[in-house]
Amino acid sequence: MVITLSDILTIIRKIVDISLVWLIVYFILKNIKNNVKLSLIFKGLVFIMILKFASDKLGFITVGYLLDYIIQWGPVALIIIFQPEIRTILEQLGRSQLLGRHKVLTVDEREHMVYEMINAIDYLRKERIGALIVVERDISLGNYIDKAKKLYADLTSDLLIAIFYEGNPLHDGGVIIQGDRITCAGAVFPTSNSSKLNRRLGTRHRAALGLAEETDAICIVVSEETGRVSIALKGEMLYNLTLDDVRMMLIDELRPKQDIDLDEEDKIEEEIYEEDR
């Protein structure tokens, strides 16, 4: 059998076609994982499809009839009802970085970054100075950076404290950190409407949770009223954390995924070794 140039081009086209489909599926699943609202929509769609399959197999005519209408008009209803969420999702896809974080920090750089942030948070909580510190990860925050005051300064505790000092005109907004540098200050983020959030909490907490619902950023909040430290992460708000809690969370969340995978492999090898013994 002779393979012609046309056959080779056909094979290449099929490989590229399949690769593009898998790439689209990967980005969809990745954003579903990082976005709480999108994950709820996805779960609802999966539930409807399972219910439709079950009704067809079990012969539930009425349920199947209703589900046919839902599937037929569902996309239109979703676009109308979830218009703000869909717009946010599309913006998030546009902000996503193909290669992840701007800069993969070394161990020393991560330790220095966490050290400076903890020193600043410790001072801010003791003096009861309100603050919102956001650490960018895989999903770009460029849309919020463009509307904030650019700094592009080295991350130091003194600079963080100075930014959130009450006399500073930028203290009401949030600080965005990319890598080991402060990119901007005075950033404004979308506020969350979650019913799980305590009504006594202010705009900073709602902005932190709102950003954590839409991105994978680490959002650290220092309460101006109580001095308590909270972290919004992956669509959830963790309240009243100690400095040690914050330090450990930052160290764990800032580690590259490759390092985490290697640690998991080491643990598996240790378990296998123990079983063999």
Side-chain angles (χ1 to χ4, degrees), residues 4-270:
T4 63
L5 180 60
S6 177
D7 294 332
I8 295 174
L9 292 176
T10 301
I11 293 172
I12 293 174
R13 279 196 295 267
K14 289 181 178 179
I15 293 173
V16 173
D17 187 21
I18 295 172
S19 299
L20 288 175
V21 171
W22 277 110
L23 187 63
I24 293 171
V25 171
Y26 166 76
F27 276 107
I28 290 174
L29 293 177
K30 182 179 179 181
N31 282 274
I32 287 173
K33 177 182 177 183
N34 294 328
N35 192 300
V36 176
K37 295 178 182 178
L38 181 57
S39 65
L40 293 176
I41 296 174
F42 180 76
K43 290 177 182 177
L45 293 175
V46 171
F47 176 75
I48 290 174
M49 298 305 296
I50 293 174
L51 197 60
K52 173 61 178 173
F53 177 79
S55 65
D56 291 341
K57 291 295 182 181
L58 299 175
F60 295 156
I61 299 175
T62 306
V63 174
Y65 185 74
L66 291 174
L67 289 174
D68 285 337
Y69 270 98
I70 293 174
I71 294 173
Q72 181 179 357
W73 297 104
V76 178
L78 285 174
I79 292 173
I80 296 173
I81 297 172
F82 295 102
Q83 181 182 357
E85 286 77 9
I86 293 172
R87 183 180 61 206
T88 301
I89 291 164
L90 294 176
E91 291 176 354
Q92 178 177 314
L93 288 172
R95 295 196 303 265
S96 297
Q97 303 172 35
L98 292 176
L99 299 178
R101 204 176 291 131
H102 289 283
K103 177 183 178 183
V104 177
L105 302 177
T106 64
V107 175
D108 291 339
E109 288 172 334
R110 291 201 304 271
E111 289 180 354
H112 175 74
M113 176 183 175
V114 173
Y115 174 79
E116 295 292 339
M117 291 178 64
I118 291 298
N119 283 346
I121 293 169
D122 187 28
Y123 179 89
L124 293 169
R125 73 182 183 92
K126 288 178 179 178
E127 298 297 325
R128 294 194 177 182
I129 299 174
L132 174 54
I133 303 171
V134 175
V135 182
E136 183 192 71
R137 297 203 288 177
D138 289 335
I139 297 177
S140 173
L141 303 178
N143 187 46
Y144 304 109
I145 294 172
D146 292 340
K147 301 174 184 178
K149 183 67 176 178
K150 314 298 188 304
L151 295 180
Y152 300 111
D154 291 336
L155 173 59
T156 64
S157 57
D158 291 338
L159 180 55
L160 283 175
I161 293 169
I163 290 172
F164 292 112
Y165 182 71
E166 292 184 2
N168 193 316
L170 299 175
H171 80 279
D172 281 335
V175 162
I176 296 178
I177 297 173
Q178 291 179 314
D180 57 351
R181 294 175 65 82
I182 299 176
T183 301
C184 68
V188 179
F189 306 115
T191 56
S192 173
N193 295 320
S194 174
S195 58
K196 297 179 181 179
L197 200 61
N198 194 320
R199 294 182 179 179
R200 296 180 181 178
L201 300 177
T203 306
R204 285 192 182 91
H205 289 82
R206 294 194 173 276
L209 184 57
L211 188 63
E213 289 174 344
E214 296 182 2
T215 71
D216 62 346
I218 305 171
C219 308
I220 306 168
V221 184
V222 180
S223 173
E224 187 174 351
E225 289 76 17
T226 64
R228 294 177 178 175
V229 182
S230 303
I231 291 182
L233 182 66
K234 300 175 183 177
E236 296 183 359
M237 179 70 76
L238 306 174
Y239 301 100
N240 197 19
L241 301 175
T242 65
L243 284 180
D244 287 336
D245 293 335
V246 177
R247 182 185 294 105
M248 293 306 299
M249 286 189 65
L250 286 174
I251 291 173
D252 289 340
E253 296 296 336
L254 291 174
R255 293 169 62 192
K257 187 177 183 299
Q258 183 179 2
D259 291 351
I260 297 173
D261 292 341
L262 289 175
D263 286 349
E264 291 177 352
E265 290 178 2
D266 291 340
K267 290 178 180 178
I268 293 172
E269 290 178 358
E270 289 178 0

